Amino acid sequence: MSSRGNPGGFGEEKKMTHVDVDQVCTEKSGLRVEGAGAAAAAMTAAVLAAALLAGCSEETKVEAPQTLPAVAVEITRAGLGLPSVVTAAGSVVADRRVEAASRLTAYIRAVPYKEGDAVKAGDVVAVLDDRDVEENVRAASAKAAKARAAAKDAELDAEKISGLYKEGLVSNNDWRKALLNRTAAADTLREAEAGLAVAEHQRAYAKVAAPVSGRIASVLRREGDLALPGLAVVVIDSESDPKFEFQVPQRAADVVRPGERAEVVVDGVPGVLPGEVERVSGSADRVSRSFLARVKFDAKDAALVKPGMYGRVCVAAGEAATPWAPESAFARRGGLEGVFVIEDGRAAFRWLRTGRRMEGRVEVLAGLKGGEMLVDRPTSDVSDGRAVKVEKTEGVR
């Protein structure tokens, strides 16, 4: 019987078995199936295949992977609570901004200073037309002189009539009139002298002086303008103790308080300028819903800044319930940054979403709750799921 005439395909099965066995183990055994009938060949092939496959399986047996030994690690702990940080833009302002105003109604003859010029207290920053003032001084002076002469005459008359009255040569009524005239003349003199003093003071007001030392911030009136009492001519910024002024959002009003430390970065000034929140306004602006705050610079840095400079301030105050992890616990695996959390004696890699970094701590926005035990300074031997052996626990509670 031939395999070609087998309707069940048994011969085909035998032929495939023969080929498979030859490919796998024939070279090792040196055996080959030849001749005989289809049934005998099939039987022989099956026996040989079983024997050969058994022998082959013994030689190609794969050993089970060995468990990696525990790696020694140091541990640290995830924390909870980072300082609340408020950042805002602002500018340097003068501690005192003073308006130098006229006390007279007069035209301005000269403004000797311009914006940016330094002035000292007492320097004349505006000269007014004083012709009317001088006329008033002359009139008051003449009036005072006249009153002084009248008072002197009244005094002499009173003395003369008093002497005659004692001798009984004048009546009591004449004597009393002389005394009243002397008193009235004295009152008139005092009034005239007061008027003269006022006129002379106005002469001094014809020159507008700087009330403080500083720098001219703005010139509001020019030569030929009419100066009015109380209307500023120039604005002066004191440079003795500049401040950094910024707006505090309403949501952070309970965080930024006087006495909190702050860091200011001013454009054009190298480094970070430390300072302290000096004051915060008690009421919010009706439009921006924010509070005005000021930071006082340290004394050594105050000379580095000028009013008008732009910058940013960072105030760290209080603590927010935010998890954080030490920077030393972070590792990168597969392009992801995270930490190894110790769970049941094994290291479990946990990817984290991070935020601020400050003072060796990293804010964790997602991935930790706080209080977890972490592998500190993980080496390349630490992998996800590997057993760990704690070697050092200093500083971890």
Side-chain angles (χ1 to χ4, degrees):
M1 182 183 295
S2 66
S3 61
R4 181 179 301 175
N6 185 2
F10 182 78
E12 185 71 17
E13 180 181 354
K14 177 221 63 168
K15 185 176 180 181
M16 182 62 67
T17 305
H18 174 71
V19 174
D20 293 342
V21 173
D22 284 347
Q23 291 179 350
V24 177
C25 295
T26 298
E27 295 181 359
K28 295 183 180 181
S29 63
L31 299 177
R32 184 177 297 275
V33 180
E34 297 180 353
M43 182 65 70
T44 304
V47 173
L48 289 174
L52 291 173
L53 288 174
C56 182
S57 63
E58 291 180 359
E59 295 180 7
T60 59
K61 184 177 180 181
V62 179
E63 295 183 358
Q66 297 181 354
T67 303
L68 294 175
V71 60
V73 297
E74 299 179 4
I75 63 172
T76 184
R77 187 183 293 275
L80 187 65
L82 278 178
S84 298
V85 176
V86 177
T87 59
S91 58
V92 180
V93 298
D95 180 47
R96 296 178 61 194
R97 168 165 281 196
V98 182
E99 296 181 345
S102 170
R103 301 182 66 172
L104 301 176
T105 300
Y107 286 99
I108 299 174
R109 291 173 55 186
V111 179
Y113 294 97
K114 61 182 181 298
E115 287 86 349
D117 290 346
V119 295
K120 296 181 179 179
D123 288 348
V124 177
V125 296
V127 179
L128 306 181
D129 185 353
D130 61 351
R131 287 176 293 183
D132 292 342
V133 174
E134 290 299 329
E135 289 293 335
N136 293 334
V137 171
R138 284 192 289 269
S141 179
K143 185 177 180 179
K146 182 179 179 180
R148 195 174 295 111
K152 185 176 181 180
D153 289 342
E155 179 66 26
L156 293 175
D157 290 344
E159 290 179 358
K160 180 179 179 180
I161 292 176
S162 294
L164 295 174
Y165 174 73
K166 290 179 180 179
E167 295 177 0
L169 299 177
V170 296
S171 65
N172 183 57
N173 189 38
D174 291 337
W175 175 68
R176 292 181 57 193
K177 284 182 179 181
L179 295 181
L180 290 174
N181 288 337
R182 185 180 62 180
T183 302
D187 292 340
T188 302
L189 176 59
R190 282 192 293 270
E191 182 179 354
E193 289 178 343
L196 177 60
V198 170
E200 290 177 344
H201 280 304
Q202 288 182 337
R203 174 187 285 169
Y205 298 155
K207 295 180 179 180
V208 180
V212 295
S213 299
R215 197 169 294 274
I216 302 295
S218 58
V219 178
L220 304 179
R221 295 291 180 271
R222 305 289 178 176
E223 182 178 345
D225 290 342
L226 181 64
L228 298 175
L231 189 64
V233 178
V234 299
V235 178
I236 303 172
D237 282 342
S238 171
E239 293 186 306
S240 60
D241 191 14
K243 304 292 192 299
F244 188 83
E245 194 171 78
F246 64 101
Q247 298 288 337
V248 180
Q250 183 175 336
R251 64 179 181 277
D254 59 339
V255 175
V256 180
R257 300 186 181 94
E260 298 288 357
R261 295 298 297 173
E263 294 181 343
V264 181
V265 178
V266 178
D267 289 355
V269 179
V272 177
L273 306 180
E276 180 181 300
V277 177
E278 185 180 54
R279 64 176 181 264
V280 181
S281 63
S283 58
D285 182 80
R286 297 177 61 185
V287 177
S288 63
R289 307 299 180 186
S290 58
F291 296 82
L292 185 65
R294 279 190 173 189
V295 169
K296 180 180 181 180
F297 294 101
D298 289 349
K300 62 183 179 62
D301 299 323
L304 301 177
V305 296
K306 303 295 182 183
M309 285 184 166
Y310 172 82
R312 296 189 64 84
V313 63
C314 176
V315 181
E319 285 192 350
T322 304
W324 58 269
E327 285 187 348
S328 60
F330 278 80
R332 186 172 290 275
R333 297 292 187 271
L336 300 177
E337 187 181 40
V339 297
F340 286 97
V341 180
I342 299 178
E343 298 177 346
D344 299 327
R346 295 184 178 275
F349 185 73
R350 189 174 296 181
W351 172 78
L352 304 180
R353 185 159 61 92
T354 60
R356 297 175 287 135
R357 294 175 181 261
M358 55 188 307
E359 299 178 355
R361 297 181 291 179
V362 181
E363 181 182 25
V364 178
L365 303 178
L368 292 177
K369 295 181 179 179
E372 293 90 344
M373 302 295 292
L374 310 176
V375 176
D376 194 24
R377 296 184 290 275
T379 63
S380 58
D381 294 334
V382 182
S383 58
D384 188 29
R386 183 164 182 178
V388 295
K389 179 177 61 176
V390 176
E391 191 176 67
K392 186 177 180 181
T393 62
E394 292 183 6
V396 180
R397 296 191 297 271

